Amino acid sequence: MSERFVVIPVGRLEEANNRVTTDTVPGGRWAGNGNDNIVAQETAAAAAVHILEYSREPNKYGDGNPQESSPFINSSDLDRGNLYDGKNMALFEEEMDSNPMVSSLLNKLANYTNLTQGVVEHEEAENNEGARKKEIKSPRMGTFIGVYLPCLQNILGVILFLRFTWIVGTAGILESFAIVFMCCSCTMLTAISMSAIATNGVVPAGGSYYMISRSLGPEFGGAVGLCFYLGTTFAGSMYILGTIEILLTYIVPNAAIFKGENGGESEAMLNNMRVYGTCCIILMALVVYVGVKYVNKLALVFLACVMLSIFAIYAGVIKSAFDPPDFPVCLLGNRILLSRNYDVCAKVVIEANETVTTKLWSLFCDSPSLNASCNEYFKMNNVTEIKGIPGLASGVITDNLWRDYGPQGMLVEKKGQPSISAPDSEFTSPYVSNDIATFFTLLVGIYFPSVTGIMAGSNRSGDLKDAQKSIPVGTIMAIATTSFIYMSCVILFGACIEGVVLRDKFGEAVSGNLVIGILSWPSPWVIVIGSFFSTCGAGLQSLTGAPRLLQAIARDGIVPFLQVFGHGKANGEPTWALLLTAGICEIGILIASLDLVAPILSMFFLMCYMFVNLACAVQTLLCTPNWRPRFKFYHWTLSFLGMSLCLALMFICSWYYALIAMLIAGCIYKYIEYRGAEKEWGDGIRGLSLNAARYALIRLEEAPPHTKNWRPQLMVLLNLDSEQNVKHARLLSFTTQLKAGKGLTIVGSVIEGTYMVKRPEAKQSEQNVKSAMAAEKTKGFCHVVVSSNLRDGFSHLIQSAGLGGMKHNTVLMAWPNLWKQQEDPISWRNFIETVRETTAAHQALLVAKNIDSFPSNQERFSNGTIDVWWIVHDGGLLMLLPFLLQQHKVWRKCKMRIFTVAQMVDNSIQMKKDLQMFLYHLRLNAEVEVVEMHESDISAFTYEKTLVMEQRSQMLKQMQLSRNEREREAQLIHDRNTASHAAISKKVDAVPDRVHMTWTKEKFTAERNRNREPAGIGVRDLFNMKPNQSNVRRMHTAVKLNEVVVNKSQDAHLVLLNMPGPPKNKCGDENYMEFLEVLTEGLNRVLLVRGGGREVITIYS
């Protein structure tokens, strides 16, 4: 049966309920407010409930486990019978069976061994500044229009038109195919993970940011969301640079403001890109600001341009099989020539039967005459004209299989073409050459942006008829389509176009035409115009999407300094976010090189995709109940593979860009963690932490920690005042100094009462304790319990605090300074029982005396000592504690001194040597001193001290007896009156004196005198009593030890001392407190230490 039980009289409960229900109105509604009704119900219930007092047997404490086997503890091979009969160590004699003297320990030093121990959506319902937005009815789109086409438009873009032929020519068909396959596999695996997340609930505005933040938490979500925002912004820069490159290179080359001369064309082109790019971004930002609806209406036009360009490419490939386009290319030896430098691909021509030199001759020779001095390479090699587009049936595919990487400035040469080498370093300008150094990883970074854009469908989930069906199908189909296009184009370009033309990035050998354009049908202008509008539209889309992503992050409130970007125009348009986006986009414009910007945005997109895969993998492995995606074709191994591939591609593209992107994300993560708003989104990282904690706790449960891993895991017992504030805050300061943030710290306190009544006070107390812990920088857990009395409450904390292997092994508490002034012995009896319980539970105990004089965390000791008085060995905790304290800046400059006590039979010189050797093996730096305590007669002061202690104890017992006597008299009178009223009510005509027949005045007086008789005798004999010899011997030990300790350590900043255990006979508990008081008298700061019955320090590594 439960120890606490409640009896509810049915009749009284019904009466109470009737009293409550009479306050209702006929309609069934309460007349008062809701709070009054609740109070009324609780009052009624309280009136009807009787809580009966009960008696309980004394609890048995301890875990029942035997103490750890040790050469120092529980050693049975020592004959202690004749070693501790003296008076000096009588205070510790009851513990000698388990805790030997230090001298015995040092004698057994050679045998020292190290023995192995054996969400209500957890979204907050936030009020967006009280502004209610009007619901906008948008068309409910299907899979094709809502997901497939937007993804297709975002994936196919500038890289396909401007760089893909160059990538195929430089890397060769095989490596180009590997690049495309890797990147498309990465996006396909990411799309699978994204489909699982997107179909596990509604994905509102924010797209990938929303998915990651709600799956991995606000820190990861904010960091990756901002990285994705930066990626989208730099994508806008890339699209604008592509637009300007098409405009100035292929449409109106004469519009260039800066003209390059004598090899400065590339620098002039970069300056032109900066000027025109800045103008373009200003124009696009104005368009977006004026109205996004115009951008959305033009999206279909831009998509039509993309699709028309793709069809033109395939049509041109088919046509080239039987009718290749006529785009000749001029070679000098095996080197391809710039088309602007010649009018005829020949050295000389026949005009009117005369041999006339051409413009090409003038380029390599010093005069037009045939006998002019010419370049050696020009004289030794022939000029050849070949087809730039041999066609699908030409067999050129075999020449384009292999890579052709090279440094910057390397000439583009045709493989297999006869050529005679000659020194001509001064003539490099007529040839087509590499504008940048080329290598595999560079091409991966440049190509990857062409496969991004897979999030376009998930970002429109609110506009879809059935988002949970459309997003997976549309996204995966779009990736499959674009992957087929890219892979087929790798093969088709390599099979149709001459290798030297493929490596000609800007079409300088084919009259300045776009290389992919000369393959298309019916005209190169189809591709040029189509790619121009496609890149222009993609830039507008980026400038439209990026500010909204930033606005979604800002409105979540997880990054405080971004909150201003959550505001915008009255219709919700993110004006400030658009301004910031345009500013960041301008940074990419100033870089001015599409080849340098592409790897930057590749980093940010890859990081975003990596965390999408991680989110899916974590959710799948955790098997959280809310993880129920409708898309079933996913697996955590696929997500993990996608995450690994994204990480690998990041470092393949550019290891330093990858590190910079990770550093940016890490800084944002830490900023959100420490300064951001706290959000509880039910994220997977929290679940992962719980699973990891559970796994670790189960592992810790298997066996106790090894001695090398032992550290004090503290249970700090605090007392609270009447206002539920912490009494001794310095106890928390000392905890911080001792723990330094390592290991487990549980701060516990007890409130007297019942939980149902004291629950608000317990909550308030817990908040006060947490505030005190924060003020003292104590890292740990707080636990306030409500119990019927303090004694049981602290007992419950000692027994049940912690979980599994993460339980405390050390109890820290303050010494009850006012135990002598309090008439009620409950306080010091609770203290002694706590000492007994920690011993029974095999837990160490630290008692801080004069705790309010201990240093705060802001104080610093510039010198001084920490003195350790090692009387008995109980596991080595006395040695470990000063070392741990010295790790904190408060005690760092204090030196450690160790004192031990030698008896007459001990060799003090040898003890000092052994102790020094022991400390050397323990790797502890400390001064060692052996104090000799000679046998001496017990002084009259000791007798007098003991006699006063026992007289006080006897007087307290008599005072307690007098109190009990008064309570008994009051109870007798109460019983008499109760009996009188009962008799009168039963029988009115009864004789009143009959009530007193069982309790007469004489009997009452005799009973009172009988009860007082022992007390009276006790008072008369109080000054004639003799002290108990056992108490005299213990007092002698306390007095002698105190004299020695005060003599040596009075000026020490802290004194650590073995704490003797309480007597096994509870009748001497009050004497035990006196012994400890005498033992520590005259010392400023004292820490009494009792070991937990196991070794906590070792000499082995």
Side-chain angles (χ1 to χ4, degrees), residues 950-964:
E950 293 188 351
Q951 287 175 349
R952 179 179 179 279
S953 175
Q954 190 65 27
M955 190 175 299
L956 288 175
K957 289 181 180 178
Q958 291 175 4
M959 291 172 61
Q960 184 68 19
L961 188 62
S962 301
R963 186 183 300 110
N964 293 339

Side-chain angles (χ1 to χ4, degrees), residues 229 233 281 542-543 546-547 550 576-586:
Y229 162 74
T233 304
I281 197 173
S542 296
L543 285 179
L550 182 62
W576 292 107
L578 175 62
L579 189 62
L580 179 65
T581 302
I584 298 175
C585 197
E586 177 64 19

Side-chain angles (χ1 to χ4, degrees), residues 751 755 758-767 784-786:
I751 297 178
Y755 182 71
K758 296 287 186 178
R759 186 166 59 91
E761 292 183 26
K763 293 292 183 184
Q764 183 61 44
S765 302
E766 192 166 328
Q767 291 299 322
V784 177
V785 299
V786 179

Side-chain angles (χ1 to χ4, degrees), residues 167-177 400-405 490:
I167 291 173
V168 174
T170 304
I173 294 175
L174 297 180
E175 291 191 17
S176 298
F177 195 87
N400 294 331
L401 285 176
W402 312 107
R403 63 188 181 183
D404 190 10
Y405 301 129
V490 169

Side-chain angles (χ1 to χ4, degrees), residues 30-43:
W30 291 94
N33 58 30
N35 294 333
D36 295 337
N37 303 332
I38 295 172
V39 171
Q41 286 180 324
E42 291 181 350
T43 306

Side-chain angles (χ1 to χ4, degrees), residues 281-424:
I281 197 173
I282 293 173
L283 182 62
M284 287 186 175
L286 288 174
V287 171
V288 173
Y289 177 77
V290 170
V292 181
K293 59 182 179 180
Y294 302 113
V295 178
N296 293 332
K297 289 179 179 179
L298 290 173
L300 197 58
V301 176
F302 299 143
L303 177 61
C305 292
V306 172
M307 300 308 298
L308 184 62
S309 300
I310 298 296
F311 288 133
I313 292 171
Y314 280 103
V317 169
I318 296 171
K319 179 179 178 293
S320 71
F322 53 87
D323 184 17
D326 185 20
F327 280 95
V329 176
C330 189
L331 299 177
L332 177 60
N334 63 352
R335 300 175 184 177
I336 187 170
L337 295 170
L338 297 173
S339 61
R340 68 173 180 268
N341 292 326
Y342 63 90
D343 49 359
V344 178
C345 184
K347 293 182 180 180
V348 294
V349 294
I350 305 298
E351 292 183 359
N353 295 324
E354 291 184 7
T355 303
V356 180
T357 58
T358 62
K359 185 179 179 181
L360 190 62
W361 179 280
S362 302
L363 192 62
F364 288 94
C365 301
D366 57 0
S367 71
S369 62
L370 294 174
N371 58 356
S373 176
C374 297
N375 175 260
E376 287 295 322
Y377 187 84
F378 180 75
K379 289 192 299 183
M380 298 172 63
N381 290 276
N382 296 323
V383 176
T384 309
E385 188 176 68
I386 62 173
K387 286 187 175 183
I389 310 292
L392 195 61
S394 63
V396 75
I397 188 171
T398 56
D399 297 332
N400 294 331
L401 285 176
W402 312 107
R403 63 188 181 183
D404 190 10
Y405 301 129
Q408 183 178 2
M410 187 187 80
L411 301 180
V412 177
E413 299 176 345
K414 177 174 171 57
K415 299 174 185 177
Q417 184 76 12
S419 174
I420 301 174
S421 61
D424 60 346

